[in-house]
Amino acid sequence: MRAHMPGDGGTALRAADSCSQPRLECSNPGAPPQAFGCSIFPSSIATAARQAGAALHWEERGDITCPLLFIQLNQLLSTSAGLEWREMARWIKFEEKVEDGGERWSTPHVPALSLHSLFQLRTCLQKGTMLLDLDATSFKEIIDKALSGQPEEAELQPALRERLAALLLLQPQHQPTKSLLQLLAELGLSPCRGKAKGRSEPRTQLSKTPLKEQLRNRFRKKVPPGAEAAHVAVGEVEFLEKPFAAFIRLRRGVSLGSLAEVSLPSRFLFILLGPPKMKDYHEVGRAMATLLTDELFQRVAWQAEHREDLIAGIEAFLDELIVLPPGKWDPSARIPPPSHLPSPRRRTALDPLEQQPHGNGDMTAAGDRASPGHPRSGEELERTGRLFGGLLRDIRRKAPWYGSDFSDALHPQCLSAVLYIYLATVTNAITFGGMLGDATANMQGVLESFLGTAFAGFIFCLFSGQPLTILSSTGPVLVFERLLFSFSQDHSLDYLEFRLWIGLWVAFFGVVLVATEASHLVRYFTRFTEEGFCALISLIFIYDSLKKMLSLADAFPINWQYRLDNVTSYSCTCNLSSPGPSSAGNDTSLPSPLATRQPPATPAGLSRTQCLDRGGHLLGTSCQYVPDVTLISFLLFGGTFLFCTALKRFRSSRYLPAGVRKTVSDFAVILAILASCAVDAALGLETPKLLVPSELKPTNPARGWIIFPFGANPWWVCLVSAVPAVLVTILIFMDQQITAVILNRREYKLQKGAGFHLDLLCVSLLMVVTSVTGLPWYVSATVISLAHMESLRKESATSAPGEHPEFLGIREQRLTGLAVFILMGVSIFMAPVLKHIPMPVLYGVFLHMGVTALNSIQFMDRVRLLLMPAKHQPDLAYLRHVPLRRVHLFTIIQLLCLALLWLLKSTVAAIIFPVMLLALVGIRKGLERIFSRHDLSWLDGPLPGPGAAGTHPRERPEQGSRAEEVGAVLGSSLGHSRPGAAGAGAPGVGAVPAPKPPLPHSASRCTARDRRSTSP
């Protein structure tokens, strides 16, 4: 069914022509001042922009859809064999040119046009032939109707029409994109054969069917599904006395045989041929192609019913141009495509300047913009007013997705995520299990950590609302366990029984919080709170990995006093006899000749372990040193970190095909671990390896697998336990919900919704099981969960040249988490395989996760600004709207809060650490007395107020002028542009069209009702 515009679309667009008619007179190059005569009247220009953008709003509503256009520019050139059409440039989102020599395509770049070419194009559309919704099935039929549709005053003689038709029907010479194998194969051919194979014979007629080179063209993979073609043909013809121009739009997409480089249905054609006295045909053709790549003009071209509609579209395009003054830039420089493009809504705003904030005072719209965050305006955090109302809503929301949570995991990317997160979780379990064993006299050790992680993680992934969350022991929980054990020892209490009652109380309090919908308070967790907690956990990961590596210097010390000249004095022997007064274990004097003649006091060939088992002792200067182990361990540690970082970034490199780069990036951590393990195995050194428990028995033989609630402690302990349980509840609530907030940010484009209440219930019920069995307590692990999300990123499979792959969201499913924790459970039986993985390699993965999580928050960008001179600071959005001193003040306050959290965690005052986490929300509230709402809206985000109950928008600001956007793009790119034969405009003036947002890859066409063909 044909979609249509409400009302008379042609009339609406013609209303925008009130300014276009006077400006058409200015298309004469001899009168440039009048060309801008209408530009000083914002009302008229705004009318054109408003009407040209109407189609965009209708498409956003779903009324109309427009496919992407592949645009090809063919130019008529004179060769020794005669005139021939040759492909000179192509567009999808950005321009690509055929370099000199015709054997290579340029890099994609933003096209730079001259204003003169745009004015000439406007004149061509005003005076030339225009056929809208033409019914034709072949290129010959299109040409015949275009030539016969000439106005009387411009009608060509029959002989000229025949010559022109024959010229237009010649086969164009394409420049196909060849693979490396094709290029190597052509190197073995003679130059003549290679040329004949790469190009069609000149002076041949256009084929009605696609050629082999079109079907084999590798560029077809870059064209999104559903795209259509537009053809621009320009050139000089000596037998014409005046230009011939025609703009044609076909009613239906038609395959025009071998006309296009790739076989696509064609929709638009623009032809401009004329006498040689006019030299700007190529630039006018580039201007037409660039207009067709513009999102707003393309919609006008789809919807136009009359010539005036296209003229109004050009007026709107001219209104958005950014003019670069002559002499201030290199016209041959190619501007690289920007990494981010403005949203369509910004280009269709009636008056962007009115929406810009110019001061730092309060703004009523300040709440409409802030940093990306979780969907606070959705139903996840709205109160129902009923007991367990939020929980029931979470269950109803997640139940329909439960089946797809398993089917969506059938992708190779999930395999890399499982291996990556499994090794990270194993390392975390061993690290925190060892620290728990040291802090609790092995009442909880590595085995308990393995079993608890496997059980709690499996149950959580099976029933939780956000199964991408990874449960683990965390630093704050470890701090509380250490304090609880010390308190129990000091007061002669049984630690595990005391801990059981605390866990039961925490589970009870957690269920109460779920019943009363306390997760509604998550709305008060702004970027300030999230970044403080995320930075703390990330620093704990970095600190622990470095601390573990430095401890290797104690276990495997380095001989700093080693001297090559004294190599003969270094030895280590086993002495089974009692040490005499003259035998010094660290005697550095050279052995005397008499000593060498004495018979050995011990059998030869005893190892260090055998010597100590027989009651002997080691003698010599090198007994306490282990050569090379510490050095190689640090090399493996740093190498793994660098490998992970480099391979993750390989996705955006220039080497190898896109599919290979994506696979390498997905398996980056696994490849880094395998490479480091291979290096370790090749060297054969006894570096510390991953050791997992091999027996299912408690680490401390004095305890069992079930903890009884009575018998070891006084009866009143069950009541007193409620006091520390309150602190643990605050800690669990803050730790769990802040992580949930970070994982459910809008920027991750999650489709299946959050489950704050359901997640908290699962954690609370797991507290009962882990407390009864004496296993560690588990909560969402921020860093590992972020790594899990990052390993499941989805991106568009096809992207136009110069366009970055579009982020599509996260692969939401339960299977990766379930597989990780199943592997955790069977790790006990995998000890013979896991023992070959060096621990420094896993510490390098730890460091990579911590650094990646730390760099993902805006807080680190602002910390770097403290060390940068103003002239070297990046062009960040908040720096344009918030004074630098206010940005630094906000950052320093965050640094002080982070330092306070670290000190509390590391000292005896750690008991109040959960309260300090809660205090971050209060500190953020107090910042409203120091910073204006405007500043906080850019740096953090507004807190919910009386007028915004239930809503809390968290989207990054999108206000600001187009000049700021394009200025940022040009400012960051012109200094790095590579010189080349860019299509600069006429000398003296260059105009760059404002960046365009990406178009939807839709297979259906834009339609409007009652279209008709028009001609002058």
Side-chain angles (χ1 to χ4, degrees), residues 928-993:
E928 294 183 351
R929 298 181 176 271
I930 304 176
F931 298 90
S932 65
R933 290 183 59 195
H934 169 266
D935 292 349
L936 290 175
S937 70
W938 285 96
L939 296 175
D940 181 38
L943 289 170
T951 61
H952 197 149
R954 296 269 293 168
E955 294 182 354
R956 187 177 296 277
E958 286 194 350
Q959 299 182 6
S961 66
R962 284 184 290 271
E964 285 180 338
E965 296 172 8
V966 182
V969 173
L970 296 179
S972 62
S973 61
L974 284 179
H976 309 88
S977 298
R978 294 181 289 275
V989 179
V992 180

Side-chain angles (χ1 to χ4, degrees), residues 235-241 273-281:
E236 303 173 1
V237 181
E238 294 182 354
F239 58 80
L240 288 180
E241 296 180 358
L273 297 173
K277 61 182 179 181
M278 179 181 174
K279 300 296 183 182
D280 290 338
Y281 295 108

Side-chain angles (χ1 to χ4, degrees), residues 83-128:
L83 295 175
E84 72 173 16
W85 293 101
R86 187 169 296 174
E87 183 180 10
M88 303 300 293
R90 65 189 182 191
W91 290 256
I92 294 183
K93 296 290 185 66
F94 302 97
E95 182 180 16
E96 294 179 275
K97 293 186 174 184
V98 178
E99 304 284 22
D100 292 341
E103 295 295 334
R104 178 181 179 272
W105 283 103
S106 71
T107 57
H109 54 275
V110 179
L113 306 174
S114 66
L115 288 177
H116 186 65
S117 65
L118 288 167
F119 296 150
Q120 288 183 319
L121 174 63
R122 184 175 57 185
T123 303
C124 293
L125 294 179
Q126 180 198 14
K127 299 181 179 180

Side-chain angles (χ1 to χ4, degrees), residues 291 682 758 869:
L291 271 172
L758 182 57

Side-chain angles (χ1 to χ4, degrees), residues 649-669:
R649 296 176 179 175
F650 190 67
R651 183 191 299 265
S652 58
S653 71
R654 300 176 182 269
Y655 303 102
L656 300 181
V660 177
R661 296 199 306 267
K662 182 178 183 300
T663 303
V664 170
S665 179
D666 289 341
F667 288 84
V669 177

Side-chain angles (χ1 to χ4, degrees), residues 489-507:
Q489 294 294 103
D490 295 340
H491 295 81
S492 302
L493 297 176
D494 184 83
Y495 160 69
L496 291 178
E497 185 179 317
F498 191 18
R499 180 178 177 274
L500 167 62
W501 281 108
I502 294 177
L504 294 177
W505 278 110
V506 170

Side-chain angles (χ1 to χ4, degrees), residues 116-385:
H116 186 65
S117 65
L118 288 167
F119 296 150
Q120 288 183 319
L121 174 63
R122 184 175 57 185
T123 303
C124 293
L125 294 179
Q126 180 198 14
K127 299 181 179 180
T129 301
M130 186 168 294
L131 303 175
L132 301 179
D133 281 351
L134 178 66
D135 281 318
T137 58
S138 66
F139 189 55
K140 185 178 185 304
E141 184 181 356
I142 294 171
I143 296 301
D144 291 341
K145 290 185 178 181
L147 293 175
S148 62
Q150 285 285 95
E152 294 182 0
E153 62 274 10
E155 188 175 1
L156 298 173
Q157 297 296 327
L160 290 180
R161 282 205 301 255
E162 291 180 4
R163 293 182 63 183
L164 199 57
L167 188 63
L168 290 170
L169 291 174
L170 290 179
Q171 170 64 44
Q173 305 295 334
H174 300 304
Q175 176 61 35
T177 303
K178 302 175 183 178
S179 66
L180 180 61
L181 294 177
Q182 289 175 325
L183 293 175
L184 293 177
E186 290 184 5
L187 290 178
L189 301 174
S190 63
C192 296
R193 291 178 62 194
K195 183 175 181 180
K197 184 175 181 179
R199 295 187 180 274
S200 305
E201 291 294 333
R203 307 296 298 174
T204 59
Q205 291 293 316
L206 187 73
S207 173
K208 295 182 180 180
T209 58
L211 302 177
K212 289 184 178 180
E213 65 182 43
Q214 293 176 273
L215 301 177
R216 296 175 181 176
N217 194 350
R218 294 173 57 85
F219 185 75
R220 184 65 178 85
K221 297 180 179 180
K222 291 291 185 180
V223 181
E228 295 182 343
H231 307 275
V232 178
V234 298
E236 303 173 1
V237 181
E238 294 182 354
F239 58 80
L240 288 180
E241 296 180 358
K242 51 188 176 182
F244 167 76
F247 179 86
I248 304 165
R249 183 186 69 210
L250 301 178
R251 184 180 297 276
R252 291 175 297 274
V254 177
S255 177
L256 299 182
S258 58
L259 182 61
E261 175 190 348
V262 291
S263 180
L264 292 172
S266 300
R267 181 71 64 173
F268 294 98
L269 295 96
F270 176 75
I271 302 171
L272 175 60
L273 297 173
K277 61 182 179 181
M278 179 181 174
K279 300 296 183 182
D280 290 338
Y281 295 108
H282 179 76
E283 290 303 316
V284 175
R286 291 183 61 247
M288 184 73 253
T290 303
L291 271 172
L292 288 174
T293 62
D294 181 75
E295 189 172 34
L296 297 185
F297 181 83
Q298 186 184 128
R299 285 161 174 76
V300 172
W302 278 103
Q303 300 292 329
E305 298 184 8
H306 301 279
R307 181 188 310 275
E308 293 80 4
D309 298 346
L310 289 176
I311 301 302
I314 294 182
E315 296 294 338
F317 183 86
L318 288 172
D319 182 45
E320 292 192 84
L321 289 183
I322 307 298
V323 179
L324 299 177
K328 302 301 181 183
W329 75 300
D330 182 7
S332 65
R334 291 173 178 169
I335 304 174
S339 57
H340 300 286
L341 295 172
S343 64
R345 293 183 180 274
R346 298 188 63 176
R347 295 188 56 195
T348 56
L350 298 184
D351 191 0
L353 295 177
E354 293 180 359
Q355 300 179 9
Q356 294 185 70
H358 295 283
N360 294 328
D362 292 346
M363 292 172 42
T364 57
D368 294 335
R369 52 197 179 91
S371 55
H374 60 82
R376 304 181 187 217
S377 57
E379 64 171 0
E380 289 93 342
L381 299 175
E382 291 181 359
R383 300 189 68 125
T384 64

